[in-house]
Amino acid sequence: MSHTQSATAAPPARTRMRTLVRTAALWVAQAILAVQLAPAGILKVTSDPAMVELFTTIGAGQWLRYTVGTLEIAAAIGLLVPRLCGPAALGVAALMTGATLTNIFLIAAPPWLPLGLLMVSALIAWARRTEIKAFPLGAVSPDAKRL
């Protein structure tokens, strides 16, 4: 078999199985993360009394509660959309960095939940780094250039 033929040959079954397991594990992690984020975001945007009190304690204003809630809901949806899952995980990592620091420095709460979500989202973002690099941030479509 020539070099060209071996390069185009199908990968061994073991490699395909690893890829399948890795992909399934990523989607399970993304789904779990989405299930954590969506209800938290909904509680924030629907003015749950506990969330209103929490953001009052933070002292940044209720606009931050609406912003964080909206971002959590958008991230939960993005984690379940193949084209958006990498950038969404990166966004969640940024949100959870802020949440971890807020828990430690502003409200003196244990940071374990946001820290755990940060680690999961960072792992997903790292695993999806090729999707993140390929994501068209600010890219102009070929059709828009003709206008």
Side-chain angles (χ1 to χ4, degrees), residues 55-132:
F55 280 81
T56 298
T57 303
I58 292 170
Q62 295 302 310
W63 67 270
L64 182 62
R65 174 175 51 85
Y66 288 112
T67 302
V68 170
T70 301
L71 289 172
E72 286 176 341
I73 293 167
I77 294 167
L79 284 165
L80 302 176
V81 176
R83 186 174 169 93
L84 302 176
C85 59
L90 192 59
V92 173
L95 270 175
M96 292 303 115
T97 298
T100 300
L101 294 172
T102 298
N103 279 17
I104 294 169
F105 296 111
L106 296 178
I107 59 176
W112 307 121
L113 179 61
L115 192 57
L117 297 175
L118 168 60
M119 293 207 275
V120 171
S121 61
L123 181 64
I124 293 167
W126 179 81
R128 300 283 189 193
R129 64 192 176 279
T130 54
E131 288 96 332
I132 293 169

Side-chain angles (χ1 to χ4, degrees), residues 36-61:
Q36 289 289 315
L37 290 170
I42 290 168
L43 288 175
K44 288 175 182 77
V45 299
T46 59
S47 300
D48 178 74
M51 292 294 120
V52 171
E53 183 179 334
L54 174 66
F55 280 81
T56 298
T57 303
I58 292 170

Side-chain angles (χ1 to χ4, degrees), residues 1-9:
M1 187 171 8
S2 74
H3 176 68
T4 307
Q5 288 176 329
S6 64
T8 60

